[in-house]
Amino acid sequence: MKIRIMTIEDYDQVYHLWKTIHGFGIRSIDDSREGVERFLKRNPTTSVVAEEDGKIVGCILCGHDGRRGCFYHVCVEEAYRKHGIGRQMVAASMRALQAEGINKVSLIAFTQNDIGNAFWNRIGWTKREDLNYYDFTLNEENITVFIE
């Protein structure tokens, strides 16, 4: 298993992986090839993929605003779970954030994502109970599709 920096050349495999993850939300604009390419150009060293024999089996989109890092679309193909791949990807992205002077990282997990929430709890992340998350849509055309 190889954990490496994600590039736009990985997009087709990553997008295919995203479409296999139950409960995953994919946005029509942000998660398009163009949207991911824009994200990777802004964050060229922090997003990672897990690759086995040329096949991408895990991914984290990771970026920062100069103050705080954020994880998006963290996933591992079902057949490869429980082998430490998610933990290795998280560690790689966190090292990349630290190298850029970032001291804190956050993520959002859907409340119904039992597998994901159990993972974050198991590896020592803290669920915040002291704040509310607010969202405002700037582009109504950016539609989220949930994978069943």
Side-chain angles (χ1 to χ4, degrees):
M1 182 67 51
K2 178 180 178 181
I3 308 297
R4 63 171 176 77
I5 293 174
M6 181 180 172
T7 68
I8 194 58
E9 287 76 25
D10 298 316
Y11 178 80
D12 291 336
Q13 283 194 65
V14 167
Y15 190 79
H16 174 75
L17 173 63
W18 290 345
K19 289 176 38 178
T20 69
I21 305 297
H22 299 289
F24 212 71
I26 298 175
R27 289 179 297 282
S28 59
I29 297 173
D30 295 338
D31 298 324
S32 68
R33 177 180 288 277
E34 295 77 19
V36 171
E37 185 171 30
R38 186 173 48 252
F39 184 86
L40 294 175
K41 282 182 180 176
R42 183 179 168 100
N43 305 280
T45 66
T46 52
S47 297
V48 299
V49 294
E51 187 176 38
E52 175 86 5
D53 297 323
K55 177 184 177 185
I56 293 176
V57 299
C59 177
I60 296 178
L61 285 181
C62 175
H64 69 82
D65 60 7
R67 178 181 170 107
R68 181 182 304 241
C70 192
F71 285 174
Y72 304 93
H73 290 359
V74 179
C75 64
V76 174
E77 185 177 318
E78 191 170 345
Y80 290 84
R81 292 179 185 164
K82 306 286 186 188
H83 294 96
I85 296 168
R87 187 183 297 257
Q88 290 175 53
M89 290 191 311
V90 167
S93 284
M94 290 173 72
R95 283 191 303 272
L97 288 169
Q98 285 180 312
E100 295 190 24
I102 304 302
N103 298 305
K104 191 166 189 166
V105 62
S106 61
L107 63 93
I108 298 168
F110 290 113
T111 55
Q112 296 88 0
N113 182 353
D114 295 333
I115 293 170
N117 286 301
F119 171 77
W120 296 113
N121 284 314
R122 188 170 54 254
I123 68 169
W125 284 57
T126 304
K127 180 180 176 186
R128 299 283 304 259
E129 303 286 348
D130 61 330
L131 53 82
N132 295 316
Y133 177 78
Y134 293 90
D135 198 64
F136 190 90
T137 300
L138 294 173
N139 186 341
E140 296 291 336
E141 294 177 17
N142 194 17
I143 298 170
T144 302
V145 175
F146 292 97
I147 308 303
E148 301 282 329

